[in-house]
Amino acid sequence: MSRQEIASMKNSSESATGRSFAHAMLREIYEQPQSLRDTANSYVSDGGLSAEAFAAAQEALRGHQRLVIAASGSSRHAGLAGEIMLEDLAGLTVDVEYASEYCYRSTHTLQDPGVIVISQSGETADTLAALREAKSRGLSTIAITNNAASTMAREADASLPTAAGKEKAIPATKSFTTQLGVLYLLTLAMARLRGRMTAQGVSAMLDQFAALPGLLEQALPRWEQQVHEIAEQTASARTFLYLGRGVHYAIAREGALKLKESAYVQAEGYPAGELKHGPNALVSKDAPLVMIATQDRNDPDSVLRYEKTLQLMKDMQAQGAEIIALALEGDTEVNKLARWTIEVPAASEYLLTILEVVPLQLLAYFTAILRGIDVDNPRNLVKAVVAE
């Protein structure tokens, strides 16, 4: 399908700004800046965290040194990112479980943890079962959902709803980024409660979060055009490997899932350092690498991660790999090594995740429609998995 054909498709969705979109998924990708603003407004007041919004969650986790996050699909990927945020900034020990496995091995996980369940609908069957298993063991529970009236929100000890608004397309976009946003804000609340961050430090990080919607709004039109052009050249690839380090591994996983469920293309997300331990055998001209090569220049660990990723890119370029890279704006080193470079605005290490995933959502979207797929309603999938 050509770009002209796509542009002439009947518009089925319209944004609040009046722009018409061919599909709900693209509209919802563009709604993410406002969804993040709305989420921030739910949890931030007078330049600080809202004591009322986090009171129940902080009480549920008070005294706990360990947490279990139980979730499925995209929500689990948000949990993987949340794990690193909570460990690095709040000093908690976190174990991320597949919700579908939690009930069968919950007695072998961390003992007496606080439990966080994450679900877009708040009705996901296996995640609801995990919540009820945790409650049956007397554990404190928090639910992060996109529906404040959902079963999980009602049954958990504390509810932290996202403010994504109704999401019509089956592939999760704005519900995922707002989950990341809520986890980031919860992390700041727990870091403050545990004395690991000053009020001034939290305020500075909230300022960075408040800047995200504007950065996304500025970048989205450029990403849309560039990613469409990339998809036109890669839509026939047989498989993709997505690579990330640290908190960005979760985004590699999510990018791969988006491509699988939207475009029916085999894709896998790996920690970048694992590529040479087997998956490298798949790398070829028709198996592109999607490499997350961003950095927070103010974070020494992030810079080291970037340098390691840069060396891997050099090795893969020598091997003849086709590389799609995510890099900071103005990064000339990555641009020399990748065939295609998608630039994202500078941000702190943990907030880069939100900026990175949006162009990966666009890559899944354009690959799907170029392959003639109904991206809003992929085969065999439903919006909420309410039966195990």
Side-chain angles (χ1 to χ4, degrees), residues 170-253:
I170 287 178
T173 53
K174 60 180 181 173
S175 63
F176 177 76
T177 48
T178 52
Q179 285 173 352
L180 290 177
V182 169
L183 285 163
Y184 178 81
L185 296 172
L186 174 62
T187 296
L188 298 185
M190 292 307 299
R192 184 73 180 125
L193 178 68
R194 293 167 56 80
R196 293 178 61 93
M197 195 174 291
T198 65
Q200 292 82 1
V202 169
S203 179
M205 297 188 80
L206 289 175
D207 287 344
Q208 294 171 15
F209 186 75
L212 269 185
L215 295 177
L216 282 173
E217 283 174 336
Q218 292 172 14
L220 266 164
R222 167 171 55 86
W223 285 340
E224 181 181 359
Q225 179 178 356
Q226 183 185 14
V227 173
H228 191 170
E229 293 171 354
I230 294 170
E232 287 179 324
Q233 299 176 69
T234 61
S236 62
R238 60 181 176 83
T239 189
F240 287 74
L241 295 175
Y242 288 67
L243 305 172
R245 292 180 184 270
V247 71
H248 311 276
Y249 163 59
I251 304 307
R253 290 284 302 264

Side-chain angles (χ1 to χ4, degrees), residues 224-300:
E224 181 181 359
Q225 179 178 356
Q226 183 185 14
V227 173
H228 191 170
E229 293 171 354
I230 294 170
E232 287 179 324
Q233 299 176 69
T234 61
S236 62
R238 60 181 176 83
T239 189
F240 287 74
L241 295 175
Y242 288 67
L243 305 172
R245 292 180 184 270
V247 71
H248 311 276
Y249 163 59
I251 304 307
R253 290 284 302 264
E254 175 62 11
L257 178 60
K258 279 291 148 295
L259 194 68
K260 279 188 279 196
E261 65 184 352
S262 303
Y264 313 159
V265 177
Q266 174 60 23
E268 296 297 334
Y270 286 96
E274 285 294 298
L275 181 65
K276 294 182 179 180
H277 296 277
N280 194 26
L282 298 174
V283 176
S284 65
K285 291 292 184 182
D286 60 347
L289 297 177
V290 180
M291 302 186 69
I292 300 176
T294 57
Q295 62 174 318
D296 176 356
R297 296 189 178 101
N298 297 315
D299 183 337

